[in-house]
Amino acid sequence: MAGVTPTEREQDHQLTEDIRLVGSILGDVIRDQAGDDVFDLVETVRRQSVAHRREGDEGIAPETVAALAASPPDHQISVIKAFDLFALLANVAEDVHHARRRRHHRSAGSPPQPGTFGHMRGRLAAAGVDDARLRAVVAELEVSPVITAHPTEVRRKTVLDLTRRVSDALGSGDRSPSTIAGLRLTVQLLWHTDLLRASKLRVADEINEALGYYRRSLFEVVPAINQRIASMAHSSAEDGNALAPPGNDAIAERSPLRMGSWIGGDRDGNPFVTADVVASAIDQNAAMAFELLLEQLAQLSLELSLSAQIVSPTDALVALADASGDDSPFRAEEPYRRALRGMYARLTASAQAFVGVVPGVAPRVERSAYSGPAELEHDLRIVAHSLRTHGCHEIAEVLVDPLVSAVRTFGFHLCTLDLRQNSAVLERAVADLLAGAEVHPDYRSLDETERCELLATELRSPRLLRIPSADPGDEAASELAILDVARRAIDRFGDRVVRHHIISATSSVSDLFELAVLLKEAGLVRGGAEPSSMLDLIPLFETIEDLGHAAATMRTLFQHPVYRSLLASRGGRQEVMIGYSDSNKDGGYLTSTWSLYRAESQLVEAAQAHGVALRLFHGRGGTVGRGGGPGYEAILAQPPGTVQGAIRVTEQGEMVAAKFGDPDLARRNLEAMVSATIEASVLDADGLDDEQRARAESIMDELSELAHREYRSLVYETDGFVDFFRSITPIDEIAKLNIGSRPASRTASRRIEDLRAIPWVFSWSQTRIMLPGWYGTGTAFEHWATTPERVRELSDLHAHWPALRALLSNMRMVLAKSDLSIAERYLALASDPDVGTTIFERIRTEHERCVRWALEVSGLPTLLADNPLLERSIRNRFPYLDPMNLLQVELLRRLRHDETGEPAAAEVTVRAIKLSLNGLATGLRNSG
Ligand code: PGA
């Protein structure tokens, strides 16, 4: 590796050693617990597989494959589990290695890395951006990661907890016998723990899992970043990392970094999200906020033992202490502790009043509840201010300011819960309401213009459609019950608890008006000459066609007086959500990426033309086929003018643990997100002049058209493709994995159009084809770049334009992780071998084209020449994946051909397949 320092070489050596260590511990555990036969089989497979990946040897020998296939089912399960755990442990070793490198960089005083505030400040300074400009962006900044329950995390919480123990042991750097013994114990526990969930997750479980991340990292890190952002607005220091932490005055009035959630609020295709579930999601979130705030207050009251004999607190602090009700003689001279005890008692009473629970230790004194977080913040400010008046600045800064920031950031509600429903459901609900109120017997028979007129009339009137004596039908009743819950939550917690309602599959103006009419029924929209709304109405555009019309749809809305009035009541800011996964499934990788880019630019123009501030909400998953890829680069590759200091992004599935699994990770990922948002808002990240941009866009339009044709012709126009896909991939088995609360499909249809994007992408990952990350791109380049000049033009564009670079860099990653020789084995499962072979050869040819063009355009000798870390990671981890693929194919073959024998044996086969799905997803790290 070029430029590797001796310390880095030593650290790489340490990684190899760690992988060996956990591998040999696992080997011992397998031998002990599963016996020599299994161990020998695993070892043979492992050695051949490693030699194949590392030295380019033949691969797993046919006789080994035969031995694997012939081994008893329980041995096969043990073999799969062994490789699942090898991959899991290798991943942990890698993560520990990365953390070690980061620590090293920090302590060695290396220049700030991209994605840090220090680096961002440097870039801004180099570009001549002055502090006033930075301050202006920071003053409006709004960055929000939104955690969703999209079912792509295959690891159970128990497994993640055990994994963390391994990570702590390896990360400690201690290799003493007691640490090794601890590791051995954890690996034994892992071996005996079921890696599969025994039953389907409930929404309440999903909420719980997400809440774990607040305790693990977010509760500490998000407020701390908010403090650093606030201090940025007050400092002209060059290096954001070296900024002095803020005093009271510098803590921002707003919280620019805010957490959001969809869990328990996203009811699109999830019948389990009922009104009760929405209510309990809000309560569960709030209960966590109270629990964590109370813990912090209790801790602070232990720490602030300052004596009135030594310091002179302010009158306000003394008054707070005197009002606390704490008359313990032990604390008579400790006014801060007394004040904090009183605050603890008030916060406990607040928890009781807001969510009916008393988390933590009951207080000794009884006090009235706070009316809201502002009162608690006010008291904390009295504490911090008093400390400063007698010279205890540092104590205020280190111990109290973070808590003030936490109260600001999380309030009593913790995070904003978004609501989401599909436009088709909203349409039916409105139709039922209109019929019930005898306003229109058949709303759905109206054309778009008539619908909009009718709905606008409703919005102009304060009169409601709900009539107590009329039954609005189950669907409408359930929708309204959910909106009623939202309204009550806002009354209790304030307007930050629920602010956004997303409409999936938005295709027309009436979709937004339908939502507005329903909101009106719940008191969330006020009807009248100038209707106003308590929620943002957010369209989600997610097919290629809808993305193409997105700007036109928004223009029509922006011109409509009723909508303008609603928008004005939301501060003139319109959020638009764009869907990466569904557009990819619809149009393929290149076309989806380009359609999103185009739609974003056009939306900016539309918003500007109508004086509307635009905020984009990116619905992305972890894999490239669902918009995944490095987050920092992704934000910087956004079209110019689209970020403007405000962005929301979904964080889903396995990415949640990857990004927020510990405070260090959370700090790094959130800092990168904020830095990228500021950089993209302030710098001309695009680097193209108008003429170059026009040319770039026309090239991309042509490429997109070519890629689209190729993708659609394969996926939607090839006879037998659906059967091919359903027979060679484990799509049916994926649906049974119990990894999420919602059903895998919205309908019973077999059509690709009706399949949710996650199982679509997940199945292609399992087969290692990973088609959603590349298909069509090679053809597009080949058909477009027919002359050497055109090839050069593409390379030049790649060199200068982050959008094309990000597109190809992500594609190269996917191509490097795909493996068509493994994939070919799945061909044995094809329901029609001839059709299967034809389709597979077409896929293989396109894959070769993609590789060839990715290298040609990027000018790199190998796919990962610029990403040695991923290259090494593939070398280290993939030997453990290949055997799971081989067994998966064999097991699927038996299942599909009814060769599993007795029902009990069939059950074992299904279980082994599920384990292989789990193992491959774990090993690939992002696969759904
Ligand atoms: P959805 O999400 O199916 O919930 O709309 C798409 C995705 O993120 O894959």
Side-chain angles (χ1 to χ4, degrees):
M1 210 189 301
V4 174
T5 65
T7 316
E8 281 170 338
R9 206 166 303 122
E10 197 180 298
Q11 287 182 340
D12 286 350
H13 175 68
Q14 176 86 63
L15 169 61
T16 313
E17 286 297 299
D18 281 354
I19 291 180
R20 259 196 215 126
L21 174 66
V22 287
S24 87
I25 290 177
L26 177 58
D28 291 347
V29 171
I30 295 169
R31 194 202 302 269
D32 277 0
Q33 307 293 329
D36 286 341
D37 287 355
V38 171
F39 175 77
D40 291 343
L41 192 54
V42 168
E43 259 314 279
T44 311
V45 176
R46 194 183 66 81
R47 253 187 260 116
Q48 290 173 0
S49 196
V50 168
H52 170 57
R53 284 280 169 184
R54 299 219 179 120
E55 277 99 43
D57 286 6
E58 273 306 285
I60 301 169
E63 54 278 17
T64 314
V65 178
L68 266 178
S71 61
D74 56 332
H75 282 202
Q76 290 177 338
I77 287 197
S78 294
V79 171
I80 294 174
K81 179 147 194 189
F83 283 101
D84 191 337
L85 291 180
F86 274 128
L88 182 82
L89 294 171
N91 286 347
V92 176
E94 263 205 353
D95 291 344
V96 166
H97 174 70
H98 289 153
R100 198 160 40 219
R101 280 176 69 108
R102 281 196 299 277
R103 275 199 308 276
H104 167 72
H105 280 304
R106 272 202 300 269
S107 63
S110 307
Q113 302 288 306
T116 60
F117 287 159
H119 184 267
M120 181 258 292
R121 299 289 294 242
R123 271 196 84 189
L124 264 47
V129 175
D130 61 16
D131 278 356
R133 175 83 182 100
L134 174 61
R135 272 200 296 276
V137 173
V138 167
E140 294 293 317
L141 195 66
E142 194 179 330
V143 180
S144 187
V146 181
I147 299 183
T148 82
H150 280 75
T152 57
E153 172 63 275
V154 292
R155 294 165 299 174
R156 297 173 53 201
K157 184 170 172 300
T158 312
V159 172
L160 282 171
D161 289 343
L162 287 168
T163 309
R164 243 168 244 125
R165 283 168 56 172
V166 176
S167 160
D168 290 346
L170 288 181
S172 72
D174 175 10
R175 298 292 177 268
S176 63
S178 71
T179 307
I180 306 285
L183 270 172
R184 201 176 296 277
L185 197 69
T186 310
V187 174
Q188 282 180 29
L189 287 169
L190 271 170
W191 182 258
H192 291 296
T193 297
D194 195 349
L195 302 178
L196 300 173
R197 287 200 181 90
S199 62
K200 208 170 165 55
L201 274 179
R202 295 161 311 165
V203 182
D205 304 320
E206 294 174 328
I207 295 168
N208 247 332
E209 295 207 356
L211 287 177
Y213 289 92
Y214 285 84
R215 179 169 285 291
R216 208 162 285 133
S217 67
L218 297 171
F219 194 77
E220 169 195 336
V221 173
V222 177
I225 293 190
N226 275 329
Q227 282 183 281
R228 290 181 64 199
I229 297 170
S231 73
M232 220 181 282
H234 292 257
S235 165
S236 58
E238 289 274 299
D239 180 356
N241 285 324
L243 294 176
N248 252 0
D249 296 335
I251 296 175
E253 287 301 315
R254 317 156 42 249
S255 302
L257 180 61
R258 304 163 185 190
M259 297 305 299
S261 171
W262 271 21
I263 314 177
D266 172 19
R267 58 198 193 280
D268 175 16
N270 191 343
F272 302 108
V273 178
T274 58
D276 285 348
V277 167
V278 176
S280 91
I282 290 165
D283 282 356
Q284 268 181 273
N285 293 343
M288 177 56 86
F290 282 116
E291 189 177 318
L292 292 168
L293 286 171
L294 282 166
E295 275 176 28
Q296 300 276 317
L297 273 186
Q299 180 62 25
L300 199 55
S301 86
L302 285 180
E303 286 169 332
L304 291 190
S305 50
L306 291 78
S307 165
Q309 301 287 341
I310 303 172
V311 298
S312 305
T314 58
D315 292 346
L317 191 281
V318 172
L320 205 55
D322 289 346
S324 71
D326 179 13
D327 54 8
S328 161
F330 298 110
R331 288 180 292 277
E333 291 297 326
E334 295 177 344
Y336 286 99
R337 278 187 165 165
R338 287 172 49 230
L340 283 157
R341 294 226 162 201
M343 292 158 68
Y344 184 93
R346 292 199 69 185
L347 190 58
T348 307
S350 315
Q352 177 72 49
F354 277 78
V355 290
V357 293
V358 180
V361 182
R364 296 253 170 82
V365 290
E366 246 188 61
R367 295 288 316 275
S368 60
Y370 287 120
S371 65
E375 281 186 2
L376 169 61
E377 185 189 331
H378 177 260
D379 284 358
L380 280 167
R381 282 177 158 275
I382 290 177
V383 175
H385 179 248
S386 177
L387 286 165
R388 287 191 162 90
T389 57
H390 53 69
C392 290
H393 297 278
E394 211 173 323
I395 292 178
E397 199 172 283
V398 176
L399 299 182
V400 189
D401 288 353
L403 193 46
V404 176
S405 186
V407 175
R408 280 242 161 106
T409 304
F410 300 115
F412 289 168
H413 64 289
L414 191 73
C415 56
T416 300
L417 183 71
D418 285 6
L419 302 177
R420 178 174 78 141
Q421 182 54 290
N422 198 285
S423 58
V425 177
L426 300 178
E427 179 187 307
R428 288 197 297 268
V430 164
D432 288 349
L433 270 178
L434 290 167
E438 297 186 8
V439 173
H440 199 286
D442 190 5
Y443 166 77
R444 299 175 75 199
S445 67
L446 301 179
D447 68 20
E448 175 66 8
T449 315
E450 292 165 334
R451 285 178 180 205
C452 290
E453 270 171 24
L454 177 61
L455 298 175
T457 308
E458 285 306 316
L459 291 167
R460 282 200 194 93
S461 155
R463 178 177 39 80
L464 298 180
L465 293 168
R466 260 202 272 196
I467 302 166
S469 58
D471 173 8
D474 288 350
E475 202 160 42
S478 138
E479 290 303 303
L480 293 175
I482 284 172
L483 300 177
D484 289 339
V485 167
R487 173 63 216 244
R488 287 197 294 272
I490 292 174
D491 290 343
R492 237 182 336 151
F493 290 98
D495 59 3
R496 282 167 64 198
V497 66
V498 181
R499 314 174 61 157
H500 315 112
H501 194 304
I502 294 128
I503 310 159
S504 18
T506 296
S507 60
S508 60
V509 166
S510 59
D511 291 333
L512 282 94
F513 282 139
E514 284 159 7
L515 173 63
V517 165
L518 290 174
L519 293 179
K520 187 180 142 209
E521 294 300 308
L524 290 161
V525 157
R526 202 164 47 81
E530 293 190 348
S532 61
S533 176
M534 294 169 77
L535 299 189
D536 289 350
L537 288 77
I538 305 171
L540 162 52
F541 297 106
E542 47 190 337
T543 62
I544 300 297
E545 190 185 345
D546 290 340
L547 283 165
H549 298 149
T553 306
M554 296 318 294
R555 274 180 201 273
T556 312
L557 278 162
F558 294 155
Q559 284 161 3
H560 197 294
V562 168
Y563 194 77
R564 281 201 76 81
S565 173
L566 291 170
L567 200 52
S569 68
R570 301 303 295 158
R573 184 182 282 283
Q574 173 70 52
E575 179 168 300
V576 175
M577 182 166 190
I578 49 176
Y580 288 65
S581 320
D582 281 278
S583 56
N584 181 308
K585 181 163 74 71
D586 187 28
Y589 177 61
L590 191 146
T591 308
S592 150
T593 311
W594 184 240
S595 304
L596 291 162
Y597 188 101
R598 267 287 198 206
E600 286 186 60
S601 311
Q602 291 162 357
L603 283 164
V604 168
E605 278 172 31
Q608 278 169 356
H610 292 89
V612 172
L614 181 71
R615 178 179 56 222
L616 285 164
F617 184 8
H618 301 263
R620 344 169 33 202
T623 38
V624 169
R626 293 179 49 244
Y632 173 75
E633 285 79 0
I635 295 178
L636 289 180
Q638 295 302 313
T642 50
V643 179
Q644 312 237 17
I647 194 165
R648 295 208 302 145
V649 180
T650 52
E651 299 292 358
Q652 321 185 344
E654 69 284 12
M655 299 318 291
V656 180
K659 290 189 169 175
F660 309 136
D662 65 48
D664 187 43
L665 283 173
R667 213 172 349 259
R668 201 163 51 88
N669 284 298
L670 292 170
E671 187 172 335
M673 190 175 175
V674 173
S675 301
T677 305
I678 297 176
E679 286 172 44
S681 308
V682 181
L683 302 172
D684 175 16
D686 181 322
L688 303 180
D689 63 28
D690 286 353
E691 197 182 320
Q692 287 169 323
R693 186 167 311 110
R695 175 67 183 147
E697 289 181 358
S698 103
I699 294 175
M700 288 303 292
D701 283 346
E702 288 174 36
L703 288 171
S704 171
E705 180 56 39
L706 291 164
H708 193 227
R709 216 175 296 146
E710 175 57 27
Y711 176 83
R712 296 278 318 177
S713 120
L714 175 80
V715 173
Y716 294 100
E717 291 154 17
T718 301
D719 282 342
F721 185 84
V722 174
D723 287 337
F724 168 79
F725 164 69
R726 291 202 165 262
S727 60
I728 73 145
T729 71
I731 177 73
D732 291 337
E733 290 71 23
I734 285 167
K736 298 177 192 132
L737 263 185
N738 289 336
I739 57 174
S741 67
R742 73 183 196 184
S745 183
R746 288 197 186 89
T747 65
S749 123
R750 282 169 50 83
R751 294 176 355 134
I752 309 271
E753 289 89 333
D754 296 332
L755 185 64
R756 288 199 99 128
I758 287 174
W760 166 253
V761 176
F762 211 120
S763 354
W764 289 114
S765 298
Q766 291 281 323
T767 61
R768 309 284 287 280
I769 297 176
M770 302 177 166
L771 177 138
W774 50 268
Y775 196 87
T777 312
T779 293
F781 282 126
E782 188 144 304
H783 287 195
W784 190 86
T786 46
T787 63
E789 292 73 38
R790 284 193 156 203
V791 177
R792 239 191 333 275
E793 199 174 1
L794 284 178
S795 305
D796 285 350
L797 199 55
H798 178 270
H800 294 111
W801 194 30
L804 183 56
R805 255 201 322 278
L807 184 145
L808 281 186
S809 158
N810 287 334
M811 185 174 92
R812 284 189 286 111
M813 273 195 298
V814 181
L815 290 170
K817 288 182 176 181
S818 64
D819 188 324
L820 275 267
S821 63
I822 296 272
E824 194 173 6
R825 302 199 180 238
Y826 285 80
L827 204 45
L829 304 170
S831 49
D832 181 328
D834 292 339
V835 174
T837 306
T838 311
I839 295 178
F840 188 81
E841 283 316 314
R842 186 167 169 191
I843 291 175
R844 193 207 304 273
T845 309
E846 179 65 9
H847 186 269
E848 283 164 9
R849 265 192 220 112
C850 286
V851 172
R852 198 165 61 244
W853 281 96
L855 298 180
E856 178 78 49
V857 176
S858 61
L860 291 168
T862 59
L863 288 171
L864 295 179
D866 59 343
N867 194 346
L869 290 185
L870 181 59
E871 195 162 49
R872 185 191 54 207
S873 162
I874 287 181
R875 217 172 36 243
N876 284 334
R877 285 186 289 141
F878 280 32
Y880 305 134
L881 305 191
D882 301 348
M884 287 192 276
N885 279 117
L886 298 186
L887 267 170
Q888 188 179 81
V889 173
E890 171 59 19
L891 294 162
L892 285 169
R893 193 191 58 75
R894 280 187 210 166
L895 191 69
R896 308 259 157 102
H897 292 184
D898 263 344
E899 286 176 16
T900 49
E902 297 299 306
E907 238 172 69
V908 177
T909 305
V910 170
R911 180 171 164 71
I913 293 171
K914 285 187 182 174
L915 266 176
S916 71
L917 295 170
N918 185 296
L920 284 164
T922 304
L924 287 165
R925 310 213 79 164
N926 45 26
S927 71

